[in-house]
Amino acid sequence: MYDFAIIGGGIVGLSTGMTIGQLYPSARILVLEKENSWALHQSGNNSGVIHSGIYYKPGSYKAKFCHEGNRSLVKFCQNYEIDYEVCGKVIVATVKKELGLLDNLYKRGLENGLNVTKISAEEVQEIEPYVHCLAGIKVSTTGIVNYRQVCQKYIVLIRNQGGELCFNTKVRKVHEIGENLVLETNRGTFETRFLINCAGLYSDRIAKLGRSNPKAKIIPFRGEYYELKPEKRYLVKNLIYPVPNPDFPFLGVHFTRTIAGSVHAGPNAVLSFKREGYKKNDFDLRDFTEIITYPGLWKLAAKYADQAIEEIIRSFSKAAFVRSLQRLIPAVQADDLIPTHAGVRAQALMNNGNLVDDFLIVKSQHAIHVCNAPSPAATSSLEIGKAIARQIPEQSHLKTRVSV
Ligand SMILES: Cc1cc2nc3c(=O)[nH]c(=O)nc-3n(C[C@H](O)[C@H](O)[C@H](O)COP(=O)(O)OP(=O)(O)OC[C@H]3O[C@@H](n4cnc5c(N)ncnc54)[C@H](O)[C@@H]3O)c2cc1C
């Protein structure tokens, strides 16, 4: 019998396992992961950016957890000697109509308590010499890290606290038996007093297995990346972002230097017909049927038809992708870019066609379900883990409790 079972060996599940271990040092903790290693989905296929928190609605979980998470993650990397760099980033307006949005973003940054500076086109070029723009914002607290390495450290700490991690173990059913839950997997059953669902792209399905209704469905949005050829890396010093569409949770294709030294361009945001569909032709009948019969999708498509078409074109046409990048750096050419990995975002969508904007954590008597943890959840992972640990009802059978 376990005290806590966590479904998902991504950054949210692992941070949660580690934090619960600190809160309840005597607890028996189990993390179940269906893959043969950790962070093989969103947590290992992202941009590797430690976000500052500039984009998010003041007062939201995203704004709070990202701002605090940025600091706690940097401290964590320092304590455990994980490579990271606080290199800062620029967000730039390249056409007149973006200037107002840039200004709004600057004000939002101030409201969120960040160190942001408005800079002229010339000042942008002092930071990023190849960028052509009208004006920009400098955000000094943005950084870069490899999130797989962060996850690896979380695992070491979970295991040092006595927690267990089972790979190749897929949860198929959840039964309530008396006060406890029984998790049926391909490798037998596990009994737990409390369940935490951090299953990312499958979090809504797991919530339903646990008889919770997240009132939203996970819609997979693939993000495809290109990489600058090594001899062209000089075009990008650090991180260069466009002004995002404020109605959309995605940031627009951008340039990011990674902690390993490569430079990525992307990701776009295309609807995927498979939850873990990393390739353009990936298809899963159940996922596809579920997605296209969901009324929320059609309401969303009606609102954002133009953007959706643009994303599809950009996915199939390298020329269109390059044109988006040339808005930031006109000197970049198609030959400078080679296709690299893709990631799939788990974005919750409500029946009314609204994307769930904030992190969504749904509680029931014996379970907590993390039903929307898109970007910046990697940056915020330590804070999400703490928030979940604090929401667990008092476990009277577990005596020792330290604060987190
Ligand atoms: C393209 C892209 C770029 C991004 N860039 C950034 C960025 O730069 N900075 C940032 O902060 N955030 C970024 N994000 C967001 C961030 O990566 C995610 O928010 C975060 O990784 C979510 O972590 P997670 O643990 O919830 O999900 P995941 O990492 O997807 O983990 C969920 C895990 O659950 C497992 N699982 C699912 N079902 C079951 C089951 N039935 N049984 C057992 N295990 C199961 C899966 O195998 C998976 O390992 C990006 C995301 C994407 C896709």
Side-chain angles (χ1 to χ4, degrees):
M1 163 75 77
Y2 291 89
D3 295 301
F4 301 101
I6 295 154
I7 304 176
I11 200 160
V12 174
L14 295 172
S15 154
T16 302
M18 180 186 74
T19 311
I20 294 177
Q22 291 161 358
L23 187 60
Y24 297 107
S26 64
R28 283 200 69 197
I29 297 172
L30 172 70
V31 181
L32 298 170
E33 168 53 55
K34 67 179 166 59
E35 305 293 348
N36 62 6
S37 184
W38 69 94
L40 288 187
H41 293 289
Q42 298 176 88
S43 305
N45 293 301
N46 54 39
S47 300
V49 175
I50 307 175
H51 285 295
S52 62
I54 185 170
Y55 299 108
Y56 316 112
K57 212 171 164 183
S60 63
Y61 285 128
K62 275 190 179 175
K64 186 169 177 295
F65 292 170
C66 186
H67 189 189
E68 288 166 13
N70 172 297
R71 286 187 279 197
S72 51
L73 184 62
V74 165
K75 208 162 148 212
F76 185 87
C77 291
Q78 287 165 350
N79 286 349
Y80 293 104
E81 296 180 351
I82 297 167
D83 282 349
Y84 79 97
E85 216 183 301
V86 179
C87 53
K89 83 167 176 184
V90 290
I91 305 171
V92 299
T94 54
V95 287
K96 248 184 169 175
K97 67 172 188 217
E98 289 175 349
L99 289 171
L101 295 173
L102 188 74
D103 208 44
N104 291 346
L105 205 54
Y106 169 72
K107 287 182 194 137
R108 182 163 271 195
L110 294 181
E111 270 185 88
N112 283 333
L114 301 177
N115 182 1
V116 286
T117 324
K118 272 192 199 175
I119 51 177
S120 65
E122 293 71 35
E123 286 168 319
V124 169
Q125 284 196 336
E126 282 166 24
I127 303 168
E128 293 290 350
Y130 296 93
V131 169
H132 281 213
C133 67
L134 300 176
I137 301 175
K138 183 177 154 215
V139 190
S140 52
T141 50
T142 306
I144 49 176
V145 72
N146 178 336
Y147 283 110
R148 279 212 89 212
Q149 288 175 3
V150 174
C151 288
Q152 190 175 15
K153 198 64 200 177
Y154 291 168
I155 291 177
V156 170
L157 295 172
I158 290 172
R159 287 188 168 141
N160 286 352
Q161 286 161 179
E164 292 170 47
L165 184 56
C166 294
F167 291 119
N168 300 308
T169 312
K170 181 173 181 174
V171 175
R172 291 178 171 154
K173 284 190 178 148
V174 179
H175 306 286
E176 257 184 54
I177 297 190
E179 286 292 288
N180 302 324
L181 296 169
V182 174
L183 311 180
E184 249 182 57
T185 77
N186 56 319
R187 302 180 98 190
T189 57
F190 298 86
E191 203 171 343
T192 183
R193 290 194 166 90
F194 202 88
L195 170 69
I196 298 133
N197 160 15
C198 304
L201 285 151
Y202 291 96
S203 54
D204 55 342
R205 285 201 195 152
I206 298 282
K208 281 191 181 143
L209 291 180
R211 298 213 180 89
S212 277
N213 182 2
K215 297 191 183 116
K217 185 175 285 301
I218 291 293
I219 302 293
F221 285 97
R222 190 173 51 253
E224 297 151 329
Y225 291 88
Y226 284 88
E227 186 179 346
L228 274 183
K229 285 183 174 165
E231 61 272 25
K232 291 289 176 171
R233 285 179 187 163
Y234 69 87
L235 290 171
V236 175
K237 303 291 168 221
N238 292 303
L239 312 174
I240 306 164
Y241 283 67
V243 179
N245 176 342
D247 299 329
F248 237 49
F250 313 125
L251 302 179
V253 290
H254 47 264
F255 290 97
T256 16
R257 176 166 65 85
T258 69
I259 196 71
S262 54
V263 175
H264 288 159
N268 55 4
V270 221
L271 181 67
S272 169
F273 294 140
K274 185 177 177 189
R275 289 197 182 212
E276 291 170 353
Y278 293 93
K279 294 195 236 90
K280 291 190 207 320
N281 56 358
D282 274 345
F283 179 84
D284 177 277
L285 187 60
R286 178 175 173 193
D287 292 350
F288 173 74
T289 314
E290 232 183 52
I291 292 166
I292 62 149
T293 54
Y294 187 55
L297 181 80
W298 296 105
K299 291 174 193 157
L300 179 78
K303 271 193 274 182
Y304 299 114
D306 292 352
Q307 286 91 337
I309 292 166
E310 199 182 307
E311 289 292 356
I312 293 167
I313 294 171
R314 205 158 47 184
S315 172
F316 284 93
S317 156
K318 184 177 183 184
F321 204 108
V322 174
R323 274 199 299 278
S324 304
L325 295 170
Q326 283 172 334
R327 284 179 47 211
L328 302 170
I329 299 184
V332 77
Q333 298 299 318
D335 280 352
D336 303 339
L337 294 156
I338 32 180
T340 171
H341 68 291
V344 183
R345 305 169 181 88
Q347 172 62 53
L349 174 66
M350 289 183 283
N351 207 15
N352 62 7
N354 289 341
L355 293 165
V356 178
D357 192 31
D358 210 352
F359 298 141
L360 175 65
I361 298 175
V362 176
K363 266 168 64 174
S364 68
Q365 199 187 352
H366 301 297
I368 290 178
H369 302 277
V370 180
C371 294
N372 194 48
S375 188
T379 305
S380 317
S381 59
L382 287 164
E383 303 309 313
I384 297 177
K386 282 182 212 164
I388 293 171
R390 288 187 196 120
Q391 287 187 35
I392 293 170
E394 188 70 44
Q395 303 288 304
S396 50
H397 65 289
L398 294 172
K399 298 276 183 294
T400 346
R401 186 177 170 137
V402 294
S403 66
V404 289

